[in-house]
Amino acid sequence: MSGEARTPGSPQRGGGTGPDRPGGDRRDAQGRERGAARARGAGQRSESAPSQRAKVTDPARNVAFDVLQEVASSDAYANLVLPPLLRARGIRGRDAAFATELAYGTLRLRGRYDAIVSRCVDRPLDQVDPNVLDLLRLGAHQLLGMRVAQHAAVSETVGLARARAGAGSAQFVNAVLRKISRSTLEEWLEVISADAPDDVTRLAITQSHPVWIARAMREALVGTGRSADDLAELLEADNTAPRVTLVARPGLVSRERLAGEVTHDVRGDATTDPGRWAPTALVLSGSDPAAIPAVRHGAAGVQDEGSQLVTLAFAAVPTLPAAPSTPTAGDRSDRAGNPDERWLDLCAGPGGKAALLASLAGEQGARIVANEVAPHRARLVEQALAAVPADAVERVQVGDGRRVGVEEPGAYDRVLVDAPCTGLGALRRRPESRWRRTPGDIATLTTLQRELLGSALDAVRPGGVVGYVTCSPHLAETQLVVKDVLAGRDDVEVLDAAAAVRQVAGDDIPLADRTDVQLWPHVHGTDAMHLTLLRRRA
């Protein structure tokens, strides 16, 4: 079924038996070849019927396979699918860690493994049953990407294939995985990259990224002041599982108290380390965040340190008093009192940045409006804000962010635009995203991003601050969006976002000599967050 293997570093295996070949004395009286054990008289049939044997499969591998199925069938995200499956099936500790690495690692390295599998089958991959292809990817990751004994990787995956796809598919999986196992990862990487026309394509294949994404990343590195030579390290960082980072929301829990809760209230070998850059960040190892009381109650949450850092920097930039003027209908830009009292999170779902902003607002006597276009995401924002003092939250509203600038002109002192984007900066966290996005998504998203940023600039009062944030380093979603919007306005100035980030993180943080900020996984250990800060001229 599988055709001839084209494996590197292995001689062709000859067939036939005879006195001078291993197994030459294994034929019985009828001329049928016996296995080595039965030839020695040591063979013994299992007491279980084949149908019963097929159903004994490893729970952790079963969960990983189910995650791949759900991701493929319903466009779900693995980080939302896996935790409830683990809880529902009572999988904990090392088994849960194994299932997590197997599922996430297979999704991250799918492109690499597909390139390898394609050299071990006799048909195009789009003609292989999708379920069977997922099983082959799982097996390949165990063989080439995890510390799993070769025999266990093959036999357990074949057992899973027998239970989930049938005996015929199990034989196919067995044949293909045995071909894969004949060579090391290094040998396979040489084979699959041998015909690459250029270095970017070679890195895309070996580091399991679509070529268009690898090219966009290279352009973003160069366009933000880094070297194109960083690309290999960046793509490798995308394939490294990130550690869980907690946010200690100011005024609700200190980072020290949060660390104490982990140490004293969570069973097991949980440890914490302070974040590198954000004073609110705490890196967690060896624990389920949901087991931490402060997380359960909303005083803390799970949030990438880069996301925390850009939020803190946005909140740290001072606003300026509005210049005296005659107010127009609906324009509250000259209202009396605190010139930094009303904040807006324009695209608030699912609520991580909104909760951090609201906790900061509560400490400073300000209040926040959280706007989200999708009702189900607005409910997530409400949940994220549950622990924030009521007087720090004006409301959570469902609405189109593109309309806020028209409906509430000059109504806010600060507006954060955490714009919907390709998410290319969080590929290590959402590994399936790289296989879902296409170059065509860029045009649709950048149109939306320009409209949202324009609305935010209309919604902020003169003297107020707008933060434009994306979890993507793609130049079209970052620098070009800002350039396009500012080209049509003469009432906006660009602020020094790098100085604002250094004010939060310290002078040691490596940043390019630019006013905007681009964070990188391989440099900062964060998602690739972008931050531009703007102010309406007073």
Side-chain angles (χ1 to χ4, degrees), residues 75-160:
D75 281 344
Y77 286 105
N79 65 330
L80 301 180
V81 173
L82 179 59
L85 276 178
L86 293 175
R87 287 193 295 268
R89 300 182 189 182
I91 299 175
R92 301 179 181 86
R94 296 179 65 180
D95 287 342
F98 181 88
T100 300
E101 169 53 30
L102 182 54
Y104 282 32
T106 300
L107 287 168
R108 286 188 188 97
L109 298 173
R110 193 185 88 176
R112 175 189 292 176
Y113 296 142
D114 282 1
I116 293 171
V117 169
S118 70
R119 286 161 171 78
C120 297
V121 299
D122 58 356
R123 70 198 74 167
L125 291 191
D126 60 7
Q127 295 180 19
V128 177
D129 179 88
N131 293 344
V132 174
L133 186 54
D134 275 343
L135 290 161
L136 291 172
R137 292 163 175 159
L138 288 170
H141 188 52
Q142 293 171 70
L143 287 168
L144 303 176
M146 298 178 69
R147 296 178 180 178
V148 178
Q150 187 178 109
H151 68 88
V154 174
S155 63
E156 290 288 348
T157 307
V158 170
L160 181 62

Coordinates of all heavy atoms in Angstrom, one line a residue, residues 75-160:
D75 N -11.9 24.0 12.8 CA -11.1 25.2 12.9 C -10.9 25.7 14.3 O -10.7 26.9 14.6 CB -11.7 26.4 12.1 CG -11.4 26.2 10.6 OD1 -10.5 25.4 10.3 OD2 -12.0 26.9 9.8
A76 N -10.9 24.7 15.3 CA -10.7 25.0 16.7 C -9.2 25.3 16.9 O -8.4 25.0 16.1 CB -11.2 23.9 17.6
Y77 N -9.0 25.9 18.1 CA -7.6 26.2 18.5 C -7.2 25.1 19.5 O -8.0 24.8 20.5 CB -7.4 27.6 19.1 CG -7.4 28.7 18.0 CD1 -8.5 29.5 17.9 CD2 -6.3 28.8 17.2 CE1 -8.5 30.5 16.9 CE2 -6.3 29.8 16.2 CZ -7.4 30.7 16.1 OH -7.4 31.6 15.1
A78 N -6.0 24.6 19.4 CA -5.6 23.5 20.2 C -5.6 23.9 21.7 O -5.9 23.1 22.6 CB -4.2 23.0 19.8
N79 N -5.2 25.2 22.0 CA -5.1 25.6 23.4 C -6.4 25.7 24.0 O -6.5 25.8 25.2 CB -4.3 26.9 23.5 CG -5.0 28.1 22.8 OD1 -5.8 27.9 21.8 ND2 -4.8 29.3 23.3
L80 N -7.5 25.7 23.2 CA -8.9 25.7 23.8 C -9.5 24.3 23.8 O -10.4 24.1 24.7 CB -9.8 26.7 23.0 CG -9.3 28.1 22.8 CD1 -10.3 28.9 22.0 CD2 -9.2 28.7 24.2
V81 N -9.0 23.4 23.0 CA -9.5 22.1 22.9 C -8.9 21.2 23.9 O -9.6 20.4 24.6 CB -9.4 21.5 21.5 CG1 -9.8 20.0 21.4 CG2 -10.2 22.3 20.5
L82 N -7.6 21.2 24.1 CA -6.8 20.2 24.8 C -7.1 20.3 26.3 O -7.4 19.2 26.9 CB -5.3 20.4 24.6 CG -4.4 19.4 25.4 CD1 -4.7 18.0 25.0 CD2 -2.9 19.8 25.1
P83 N -7.1 21.4 27.0 CA -7.3 21.4 28.5 C -8.6 20.7 28.9 O -8.6 19.9 29.8 CB -7.2 22.9 28.9 CG -6.3 23.5 27.8 CD -6.7 22.8 26.6
P84 N -9.7 21.1 28.3 CA -11.0 20.4 28.8 C -10.9 18.9 28.5 O -11.5 18.1 29.2 CB -12.1 21.1 28.0 CG -11.4 21.8 26.9 CD -10.0 22.1 27.4
L85 N -10.3 18.5 27.4 CA -10.2 17.0 27.1 C -9.4 16.3 28.2 O -9.8 15.2 28.7 CB -9.6 16.8 25.8 CG -10.5 16.9 24.5 CD1 -9.7 16.7 23.3 CD2 -11.6 15.8 24.6
L86 N -8.3 16.9 28.6 CA -7.4 16.3 29.6 C -8.2 16.2 30.9 O -8.2 15.2 31.6 CB -6.2 17.2 29.8 CG -5.2 17.2 28.7 CD1 -4.0 18.2 29.0 CD2 -4.6 15.8 28.4
R87 N -9.0 17.3 31.3 CA -9.7 17.2 32.5 C -10.8 16.2 32.5 O -11.1 15.4 33.4 CB -10.3 18.6 32.8 CG -9.3 19.6 33.3 CD -10.0 20.9 33.9 NE -10.7 21.6 32.9 CZ -10.2 22.6 32.1 NH1 -8.9 23.0 32.3 NH2 -11.0 23.2 31.2
A88 N -11.5 16.2 31.3 CA -12.7 15.2 31.2 C -12.2 13.8 31.3 O -13.0 12.9 31.8 CB -13.4 15.5 29.9
R89 N -11.0 13.5 30.8 CA -10.5 12.1 30.8 C -9.6 11.8 32.0 O -9.0 10.7 32.1 CB -9.9 11.8 29.5 CG -10.8 12.0 28.3 CD -10.2 11.7 27.0 NE -11.1 12.1 25.9 CZ -10.8 11.9 24.6 NH1 -9.7 11.3 24.3 NH2 -11.7 12.3 23.7
G90 N -9.4 12.7 32.9 CA -8.6 12.5 34.1 C -7.2 12.3 33.8 O -6.5 11.6 34.6
I91 N -6.6 12.9 32.8 CA -5.2 12.8 32.4 C -4.5 13.9 33.1 O -4.7 15.1 32.8 CB -5.1 12.8 30.9 CG1 -5.8 11.6 30.3 CG2 -3.6 12.7 30.5 CD1 -5.8 11.6 28.8
R92 N -3.5 13.5 33.9 CA -2.7 14.5 34.7 C -1.3 14.2 34.6 O -0.8 13.2 34.1 CB -3.2 14.6 36.1 CG -4.7 14.8 36.3 CD -5.1 14.8 37.8 NE -6.5 15.1 38.0 CZ -7.4 14.1 37.9 NH1 -7.1 12.9 37.7 NH2 -8.7 14.4 38.1
G93 N -0.5 15.2 35.2 CA 0.9 14.9 35.4 C 1.7 14.7 34.1 O 1.5 15.4 33.1
R94 N 2.5 13.7 34.2 CA 3.4 13.4 33.0 C 2.6 13.0 31.8 O 3.0 13.3 30.7 CB 4.4 12.3 33.4 CG 5.4 12.7 34.5 CD 6.3 11.6 34.9 NE 7.2 11.2 33.8 CZ 8.1 10.3 33.9 NH1 8.3 9.6 35.0 NH2 8.9 10.0 32.9
D95 N 1.5 12.3 32.0 CA 0.7 11.9 30.8 C 0.1 13.1 30.2 O 0.0 13.2 28.9 CB -0.4 10.9 31.3 CG 0.1 9.5 31.6 OD1 1.2 9.2 31.2 OD2 -0.6 8.8 32.3
A96 N -0.3 14.1 31.0 CA -0.9 15.3 30.4 C 0.2 16.1 29.7 O 0.0 16.6 28.6 CB -1.5 16.2 31.5
A97 N 1.4 16.1 30.2 CA 2.5 16.8 29.6 C 2.9 16.1 28.3 O 3.2 16.8 27.2 CB 3.7 16.8 30.5
F98 N 2.8 14.8 28.3 CA 3.1 14.0 27.0 C 2.1 14.3 26.0 O 2.4 14.6 24.8 CB 3.2 12.5 27.3 CG 3.5 11.6 26.2 CD1 4.8 11.3 25.8 CD2 2.4 11.1 25.4 CE1 5.1 10.5 24.7 CE2 2.7 10.3 24.3 CZ 4.0 10.0 23.9
A99 N 0.8 14.3 26.3 CA -0.2 14.6 25.4 C -0.1 16.0 24.8 O -0.3 16.2 23.6 CB -1.6 14.4 26.0
T100 N 0.2 16.9 25.7 CA 0.4 18.3 25.2 C 1.5 18.5 24.2 O 1.3 19.1 23.2 CB 0.6 19.2 26.5 OG1 -0.5 19.1 27.4 CG2 0.8 20.7 26.1
E101 N 2.7 17.9 24.5 CA 3.8 18.0 23.6 C 3.5 17.3 22.3 O 3.8 17.8 21.2 CB 5.1 17.5 24.2 CG 6.2 17.3 23.3 CD 6.6 18.6 22.5 OE1 6.4 19.7 23.0 OE2 7.0 18.4 21.3
L102 N 2.8 16.2 22.4 CA 2.5 15.4 21.2 C 1.6 16.2 20.3 O 1.8 16.2 19.1 CB 2.0 14.0 21.6 CG 1.6 13.1 20.4 CD1 2.8 12.9 19.5 CD2 1.1 11.8 21.0
A103 N 0.5 16.7 20.9 CA -0.4 17.5 20.1 C 0.2 18.8 19.5 O 0.1 19.0 18.3 CB -1.7 17.8 20.9
Y104 N 0.7 19.6 20.4 CA 1.3 20.9 20.0 C 2.5 20.7 19.0 O 2.6 21.4 18.0 CB 1.7 21.7 21.2 CG 0.5 22.4 21.9 CD1 -0.7 21.8 22.0 CD2 0.7 23.6 22.5 CE1 -1.7 22.4 22.7 CE2 -0.3 24.2 23.2 CZ -1.5 23.6 23.3 OH -2.6 24.2 24.0
G105 N 3.4 19.8 19.4 CA 4.5 19.6 18.5 C 4.2 19.1 17.1 O 4.8 19.5 16.2
T106 N 3.2 18.2 17.1 CA 2.8 17.7 15.8 C 2.2 18.8 14.9 O 2.4 18.9 13.7 CB 1.8 16.6 15.9 OG1 2.4 15.5 16.7 CG2 1.3 16.0 14.6
L107 N 1.4 19.7 15.6 CA 0.8 20.8 14.8 C 1.9 21.8 14.4 O 1.8 22.3 13.2 CB -0.2 21.5 15.7 CG -1.5 20.8 15.9 CD1 -2.3 21.5 17.0 CD2 -2.4 20.8 14.7
R108 N 2.8 22.1 15.2 CA 3.9 23.0 14.8 C 4.7 22.5 13.7 O 5.0 23.3 12.7 CB 4.8 23.3 16.0 CG 4.3 24.1 17.1 CD 5.4 24.5 18.1 NE 4.8 25.1 19.3 CZ 4.5 24.5 20.4 NH1 4.7 23.2 20.6 NH2 3.9 25.2 21.4
L109 N 5.1 21.3 13.7 CA 6.0 20.7 12.8 C 5.3 19.9 11.7 O 6.0 19.1 11.0 CB 7.0 19.8 13.5 CG 7.9 20.6 14.6 CD1 8.7 19.6 15.4 CD2 8.8 21.6 13.9
R110 N 4.1 20.2 11.5 CA 3.3 19.4 10.4 C 4.0 19.6 9.1 O 4.0 18.6 8.3 CB 1.9 20.0 10.4 CG 0.9 19.1 9.6 CD -0.4 19.8 9.5 NE -0.5 20.7 8.3 CZ -1.6 21.3 8.0 NH1 -2.7 21.2 8.7 NH2 -1.6 22.1 6.9
G111 N 4.4 20.7 8.7 CA 5.0 20.9 7.4 C 6.3 20.1 7.2 O 6.5 19.5 6.2
R112 N 7.1 20.0 8.2 CA 8.3 19.2 8.2 C 7.9 17.7 8.0 O 8.5 17.0 7.2 CB 9.1 19.4 9.4 CG 10.4 18.5 9.6 CD 11.0 18.6 10.9 NE 11.6 19.9 11.2 CZ 12.2 20.3 12.3 NH1 12.1 19.5 13.4 NH2 12.7 21.5 12.4
Y113 N 7.0 17.3 8.8 CA 6.6 15.9 8.8 C 5.9 15.5 7.5 O 6.1 14.4 7.0 CB 5.8 15.5 10.0 CG 6.5 15.7 11.3 CD1 5.9 16.2 12.5 CD2 7.9 15.4 11.4 CE1 6.6 16.4 13.7 CE2 8.6 15.6 12.6 CZ 7.9 16.0 13.7 OH 8.6 16.2 14.9
D114 N 5.1 16.4 7.0 CA 4.5 16.1 5.7 C 5.6 15.9 4.6 O 5.4 15.1 3.7 CB 3.5 17.2 5.3 CG 2.2 17.1 6.1 OD1 2.1 16.2 6.9 OD2 1.3 18.0 5.8
A115 N 6.6 16.8 4.6 CA 7.7 16.6 3.6 C 8.4 15.3 3.8 O 8.8 14.7 2.8 CB 8.7 17.8 3.8
I116 N 8.5 14.8 5.0 CA 9.1 13.5 5.2 C 8.2 12.4 4.8 O 8.6 11.4 4.1 CB 9.6 13.4 6.7 CG1 10.7 14.4 7.0 CG2 10.0 11.9 7.0 CD1 11.0 14.5 8.5
V117 N 7.0 12.4 5.3 CA 6.0 11.4 4.9 C 5.8 11.2 3.4 O 5.7 10.1 2.9 CB 4.6 11.7 5.6 CG1 3.6 10.7 5.1 CG2 4.8 11.5 7.1
S118 N 5.9 12.4 2.7 CA 5.7 12.3 1.3 C 6.7 11.5 0.6 O 6.5 11.0 -0.6 CB 5.6 13.8 0.7 OG 6.9 14.4 0.7
R119 N 7.9 11.4 1.2 CA 9.0 10.6 0.6 C 8.9 9.1 1.0 O 9.8 8.3 0.6 CB 10.3 11.2 1.0 CG 10.6 12.5 0.2 CD 11.6 13.3 0.9 NE 12.0 14.4 0.0 CZ 11.4 15.6 -0.1 NH1 10.2 15.7 0.5 NH2 11.8 16.5 -1.0
C120 N 7.9 8.8 1.7 CA 7.7 7.4 2.2 C 6.4 6.7 1.7 O 6.1 5.6 2.2 CB 7.8 7.3 3.7 SG 9.4 7.9 4.4
V121 N 5.7 7.4 0.9 CA 4.4 6.9 0.4 C 4.4 7.0 -1.1 O 5.2 7.7 -1.7 CB 3.2 7.6 1.0 CG1 3.1 7.5 2.5 CG2 3.2 9.1 0.6
D122 N 3.5 6.2 -1.7 CA 3.5 6.1 -3.2 C 2.4 6.9 -3.8 O 1.9 6.6 -4.9 CB 3.4 4.7 -3.6 CG 2.1 4.0 -3.0 OD1 1.4 4.7 -2.3 OD2 1.9 2.8 -3.4
R123 N 1.9 8.0 -3.1 CA 0.8 8.8 -3.6 C 1.0 10.2 -3.1 O 1.6 10.4 -2.0 CB -0.5 8.2 -3.2 CG -0.8 8.3 -1.7 CD -1.9 7.4 -1.2 NE -1.4 6.1 -1.2 CZ -2.1 5.1 -0.6 NH1 -3.3 5.3 0.0 NH2 -1.6 3.9 -0.5
P124 N 0.4 11.2 -3.7 CA 0.3 12.5 -3.1 C -0.4 12.5 -1.8 O -1.3 11.7 -1.5 CB -0.4 13.4 -4.2 CG -0.4 12.6 -5.4 CD -0.3 11.1 -5.0
L125 N 0.1 13.4 -0.9 CA -0.5 13.4 0.5 C -2.0 13.7 0.5 O -2.7 13.3 1.4 CB 0.2 14.4 1.4 CG 1.7 14.0 1.7 CD1 2.2 15.0 2.8 CD2 1.8 12.6 2.1
D126 N -2.5 14.5 -0.5 CA -3.9 14.8 -0.5 C -4.7 13.6 -0.9 O -6.0 13.7 -0.9 CB -4.2 16.0 -1.5 CG -3.8 15.8 -2.9 OD1 -3.4 14.6 -3.3 OD2 -3.9 16.7 -3.7
Q127 N -4.1 12.5 -1.3 CA -4.8 11.3 -1.5 C -4.7 10.3 -0.4 O -5.2 9.2 -0.5 CB -4.3 10.6 -2.8 CG -4.6 11.4 -4.1 CD -4.0 10.8 -5.3 OE1 -3.8 9.6 -5.4 NE2 -3.9 11.6 -6.4
V128 N -4.0 10.7 0.7 CA -4.0 9.9 1.9 C -5.1 10.3 2.8 O -5.4 11.5 2.9 CB -2.6 10.1 2.6 CG1 -2.6 9.3 4.0 CG2 -1.5 9.6 1.7
D129 N -5.8 9.3 3.4 CA -7.0 9.7 4.2 C -6.5 10.6 5.3 O -5.5 10.4 6.0 CB -7.5 8.4 4.9 CG -8.7 8.7 5.8 OD1 -9.8 8.7 5.4 OD2 -8.4 8.9 7.0
P130 N -7.2 11.8 5.5 CA -6.8 12.8 6.5 C -6.5 12.2 7.9 O -5.6 12.6 8.6 CB -7.9 13.8 6.5 CG -8.6 13.6 5.2 CD -8.4 12.2 4.8
N131 N -7.4 11.3 8.3 CA -7.2 10.7 9.7 C -5.9 9.9 9.7 O -5.1 10.0 10.7 CB -8.3 9.8 10.0 CG -9.6 10.5 10.2 OD1 -9.6 11.7 10.4 ND2 -10.7 9.8 10.2
V132 N -5.6 9.2 8.7 CA -4.4 8.4 8.6 C -3.2 9.3 8.5 O -2.1 9.1 9.2 CB -4.4 7.4 7.4 CG1 -3.1 6.7 7.2 CG2 -5.5 6.4 7.6
L133 N -3.3 10.4 7.8 CA -2.2 11.4 7.7 C -1.9 12.0 9.1 O -0.7 12.2 9.5 CB -2.5 12.5 6.7 CG -1.4 13.5 6.4 CD1 -0.1 12.8 6.0 CD2 -1.9 14.5 5.4
D134 N -2.9 12.3 9.9 CA -2.7 12.8 11.2 C -2.0 11.7 12.1 O -1.1 12.1 12.9 CB -4.0 13.1 11.9 CG -4.5 14.5 11.5 OD1 -3.7 15.3 11.1 OD2 -5.7 14.8 11.7
L135 N -2.3 10.5 11.9 CA -1.7 9.4 12.7 C -0.2 9.3 12.3 O 0.7 9.1 13.2 CB -2.4 8.1 12.4 CG -3.7 7.9 13.0 CD1 -4.5 6.8 12.4 CD2 -3.6 7.6 14.5
L136 N 0.1 9.5 11.0 CA 1.5 9.5 10.6 C 2.3 10.6 11.1 O 3.4 10.5 11.5 CB 1.5 9.5 9.0 CG 1.0 8.2 8.3 CD1 1.0 8.4 6.8 CD2 2.0 7.0 8.7
R137 N 1.6 11.8 11.2 CA 2.3 13.0 11.8 C 2.6 12.7 13.2 O 3.7 13.1 13.7 CB 1.4 14.2 11.6 CG 1.2 14.7 10.2 CD 0.1 15.6 10.0 NE 0.0 16.2 8.7 CZ -1.2 16.7 8.1 NH1 -2.3 16.7 8.9 NH2 -1.2 17.2 6.9
L138 N 1.6 12.2 14.0 CA 1.8 11.9 15.4 C 3.0 10.9 15.6 O 3.8 11.1 16.4 CB 0.6 11.3 16.0 CG -0.6 12.2 16.2 CD1 -1.9 11.4 16.6 CD2 -0.3 13.3 17.3
G139 N 3.0 9.9 14.7 CA 4.1 8.9 14.8 C 5.5 9.5 14.5 O 6.5 9.3 15.1
A140 N 5.5 10.4 13.4 CA 6.7 11.0 13.0 C 7.2 11.9 14.1 O 8.5 12.0 14.4 CB 6.5 11.8 11.8
H141 N 6.3 12.6 14.8 CA 6.8 13.5 15.9 C 7.4 12.7 17.0 O 8.4 13.1 17.6 CB 5.7 14.4 16.4 CG 6.1 15.4 17.4 ND1 7.1 16.3 17.1 CD2 5.7 15.7 18.6 CE1 7.3 17.1 18.2 NE2 6.5 16.8 19.1
Q142 N 6.8 11.6 17.4 CA 7.4 10.7 18.4 C 8.8 10.2 18.0 O 9.7 10.1 18.8 CB 6.5 9.5 18.7 CG 5.2 10.0 19.3 CD 4.2 8.8 19.4 OE1 4.4 7.9 20.2 NE2 3.1 8.9 18.6
L143 N 8.9 9.8 16.7 CA 10.2 9.3 16.3 C 11.3 10.3 16.1 O 12.4 10.1 16.4 CB 10.0 8.6 14.9 CG 9.2 7.3 14.9 CD1 8.9 6.9 13.4 CD2 10.1 6.2 15.5
L144 N 10.9 11.5 15.7 CA 11.9 12.5 15.3 C 11.9 13.8 16.2 O 12.9 14.5 16.1 CB 11.7 13.0 13.8 CG 11.7 11.8 12.8 CD1 11.4 12.4 11.4 CD2 13.1 11.1 12.8
G145 N 10.9 14.0 17.0 CA 10.8 15.2 17.8 C 10.6 15.0 19.3 O 10.6 16.0 20.0
M146 N 10.5 13.8 19.7 CA 10.4 13.5 21.1 C 11.3 12.4 21.6 O 11.8 11.6 20.8 CB 8.9 13.1 21.4 CG 7.9 14.2 21.1 SD 6.2 13.6 21.4 CE 6.1 13.6 23.2
R147 N 11.5 12.3 22.9 CA 12.3 11.2 23.4 C 11.5 10.0 23.7 O 11.3 9.5 24.8 CB 13.0 11.7 24.7 CG 14.0 12.9 24.5 CD 14.5 13.3 25.8 NE 15.5 14.4 25.7 CZ 16.1 15.1 26.7 NH1 15.9 14.7 27.9 NH2 16.9 16.1 26.4
V148 N 11.0 9.4 22.6 CA 10.2 8.2 22.7 C 11.0 7.1 22.0 O 11.5 7.3 20.9 CB 8.8 8.4 22.0 CG1 8.0 7.1 22.1 CG2 8.0 9.5 22.7
A149 N 11.1 5.9 22.7 CA 11.8 4.8 22.1 C 11.1 4.4 20.8 O 9.9 4.5 20.6 CB 11.7 3.6 23.1
Q150 N 12.0 4.1 19.8 CA 11.5 3.8 18.5 C 10.4 2.8 18.4 O 9.4 2.9 17.8 CB 12.7 3.4 17.6 CG 12.4 3.3 16.1 CD 13.6 3.0 15.3 OE1 13.7 1.9 14.8 NE2 14.5 3.9 15.2
H151 N 10.6 1.7 19.1 CA 9.6 0.6 19.1 C 8.3 1.0 19.7 O 7.2 0.7 19.2 CB 10.2 -0.6 19.8 CG 10.3 -0.4 21.3 ND1 9.3 -0.7 22.2 CD2 11.4 0.0 22.1 CE1 9.7 -0.4 23.4 NE2 11.0 0.0 23.4
A152 N 8.4 1.9 20.8 CA 7.1 2.3 21.4 C 6.4 3.3 20.5 O 5.2 3.3 20.3 CB 7.4 3.0 22.7
A153 N 7.2 4.2 19.8 CA 6.6 5.2 18.9 C 5.8 4.5 17.8 O 4.7 4.9 17.5 CB 7.7 6.1 18.3
V154 N 6.4 3.5 17.2 CA 5.8 2.7 16.1 C 4.6 1.9 16.6 O 3.5 2.0 16.1 CB 6.8 1.9 15.4 CG1 6.1 1.0 14.3 CG2 7.9 2.8 14.7
S155 N 4.9 1.1 17.6 CA 3.8 0.1 18.0 C 2.6 0.8 18.6 O 1.5 0.5 18.3 CB 4.4 -0.9 19.0 OG 4.8 -0.2 20.2
E156 N 2.8 1.9 19.4 CA 1.7 2.6 20.0 C 0.9 3.3 19.0 O -0.3 3.4 19.0 CB 2.2 3.5 21.1 CG 2.7 2.9 22.3 CD 1.7 2.2 23.2 OE1 0.5 2.5 23.0 OE2 2.0 1.5 24.1
T157 N 1.6 3.9 18.0 CA 0.8 4.6 17.0 C 0.1 3.7 16.1 O -1.0 3.9 15.6 CB 1.8 5.5 16.1 OG1 2.6 6.3 17.0 CG2 1.0 6.4 15.1
V158 N 0.7 2.5 15.8 CA 0.0 1.5 15.0 C -1.2 1.0 15.8 O -2.3 0.8 15.2 CB 0.9 0.3 14.7 CG1 0.2 -0.9 14.1 CG2 2.0 0.8 13.7
G159 N -1.1 0.8 17.1 CA -2.3 0.4 17.9 C -3.4 1.5 17.8 O -4.6 1.1 17.8
L160 N -3.0 2.7 17.9 CA -4.0 3.8 17.8 C -4.6 3.8 16.4 O -5.8 4.0 16.3 CB -3.2 5.1 18.1 CG -4.1 6.4 18.0 CD1 -5.2 6.4 19.1 CD2 -3.2 7.6 18.2

